[in-house]
Amino acid sequence: MSELTDGGSRLPELSPADGGSRLPEFNPEAVGVRGPGPEKRSVRIAAPLKARGARAEVSRLLAGVAGERCVNDALLVVSELISNADRHGGGLREFAAGVEDGHLRLEVADHSEVLPESAAHDPLVPGGFGWSLVRRLSVDARIRPWPAGDGPGKTIVVSLRLE
């Protein structure tokens, strides 16, 4: 499986020997179970999940770890990613969030191979600003296609600094 950056350049392949999987940094014991301790927290949820539920999970993960502005930014990014998976990506496949080393990592998988775009269009036309907003609030944003045989889809992985 390859990771793609926003510009489409390839990143190193993940192999099973490297622990390559759809969600390599998260290893919760069960779906929906948060990891131990305040230094490393995580949650992974398979669809169906709506933006409201994802925001609630992220709020719990960030409680006592991040300031109000950071939490608000994170909740905005979560809303955009989940809503776009539903609206443009054929529906949500998986959602994962984790706090580690001063960052919030979000992973949102959907059923479409179509990559998000930063719209450069008429400001009087509503919509089209979500991906630009996600990229502006994140310190890193990558797109990883699903492996062949698992059907069409991609995972959007973003990292936000907890300040």
Side-chain angles (χ1 to χ4, degrees):
M1 159 176 55
S2 298
E3 286 191 19
L4 299 175
T5 63
D6 185 40
S9 60
R10 296 257 174 215
L11 295 175
E13 295 285 324
L14 292 176
S15 71
D18 299 328
S21 71
R22 289 182 212 120
L23 304 171
E25 266 70 30
F26 296 115
N27 191 16
E29 294 175 15
V31 171
V33 175
R34 282 175 288 286
E39 297 80 30
K40 185 174 182 180
R41 305 174 180 194
S42 62
V43 64
R44 179 178 174 190
I45 302 171
L49 176 72
K50 296 296 179 193
R52 181 179 185 172
R55 285 192 307 268
E57 289 296 332
V58 169
S59 291
R60 280 192 276 283
L61 286 173
L62 296 179
V65 178
E68 183 179 359
R69 179 177 177 206
C70 180
V71 171
N72 289 337
D73 287 352
L75 297 180
L76 183 57
V77 169
V78 167
S79 292
E80 282 296 328
L81 292 175
I82 298 288
S83 298
N84 286 342
D86 284 338
R87 193 174 301 130
H88 306 292
L92 181 72
R93 268 186 142 149
E94 289 181 330
F95 169 77
V99 173
E100 190 172 359
D101 298 328
H103 288 84
L104 170 67
R105 181 178 165 111
L106 301 169
E107 298 193 18
V108 176
D110 65 30
H111 295 275
S112 173
E113 294 175 339
V114 177
L115 300 178
E117 295 180 14
S118 296
H121 66 274
D122 186 344
L124 299 176
V125 176
F129 298 100
W131 183 238
S132 296
L133 181 69
V134 167
R135 295 201 55 224
R136 172 168 260 167
L137 294 174
S138 304
V139 293
D140 188 38
R142 297 174 189 262
I143 303 164
R144 206 172 47 220
W146 275 69
D150 284 346
K154 65 185 170 298
T155 301
I156 296 178
V157 182
V158 300
S159 178
L160 290 87
R161 184 169 299 133
L162 301 179
E163 299 174 333

